[in-house]
Amino acid sequence: MADDGERVASPEETLRLIEAQRATAVRALHGDPLLLYTPWGVAWLLGFGVLFLRYGLDGVPYAPISHPAALGIHLSLQVVAGAFAATGIVRMSSQVRGESSAKGMMYGYAWFVGMVLMSVICARFSPALDPLGAGLLWAGVSLLVVAVLYMAGGALFGQWPMFFMGVWVAAVNGLGVILGAGWHALLSAVLLGGGQIAAGILLRRRA
């Protein structure tokens, strides 16, 4: 029997409390979509937007931005976004124990290793290319790493949204590489940057 100063929760309030706790547990185990997707969206929208202004669709720049400055801005934003993604995945894996936790930790660190190796490869071969080709190399390879890791993460954690996001990144990246540096930057900024932001917000609302 409850004390006089206590009020017994109604069935509706109890169900709401259970649902709130379930949603919190789901976010902890599956990661916060805002942390997994939105940082990449902002980085791509701004970073590829700067590259698009530098390249233009016909090879004529739309803004007086030097190629090293535009590429530096783009890569800096990519590194920050990758750090956010890896942090989110490591935090997600820390909520579980045993083999699942170990897999999640290894997957989180794979983001860091992939980005470092991408930088080494591109830095080695980009001096042999013209500025447009070098920029396309950096952008295309970086998106390849993200696409593969997204698909691998979707398979590892059983998350279809993450897997299909990786497929979407790979498709847009491949089309952009075929069309050229300017189109690649434009498609990546609009379809990938905007798409990642929208996915993060919608998936968070669903969660």
Side-chain angles (χ1 to χ4, degrees), residues 8 15 42 77 83 96 98 104 107 109 137:
V8 178
L15 288 175
V42 174
L77 291 170
V96 296
Y107 178 68
Y109 292 130
L137 173 67

Side-chain angles (χ1 to χ4, degrees), residues 1-17:
M1 179 178 297
D3 295 336
D4 294 339
E6 296 181 352
R7 183 177 64 85
V8 178
S10 66
E12 292 79 8
E13 291 173 331
T14 302
L15 288 175
R16 283 197 295 268
L17 178 60

Side-chain angles (χ1 to χ4, degrees), residues 94-153:
S94 67
Q95 304 297 323
V96 296
R97 297 293 183 266
E99 184 179 358
S100 297
S101 177
K103 288 180 179 180
M105 293 289 289
M106 287 187 286
Y107 178 68
Y109 292 130
W111 281 88
F112 174 76
V113 174
M115 287 299 170
V116 171
L117 182 58
M118 176 273 297
S119 300
V120 171
I121 294 174
C122 292
R124 174 65 179 83
F125 291 102
S126 60
L129 303 172
D130 61 88
L132 287 179
L136 190 57
L137 173 67
W138 280 93
V141 175
S142 65
L143 287 184
L144 172 63
V145 173
V146 173
V148 171
L149 286 175
Y150 262 158
M151 287 187 284

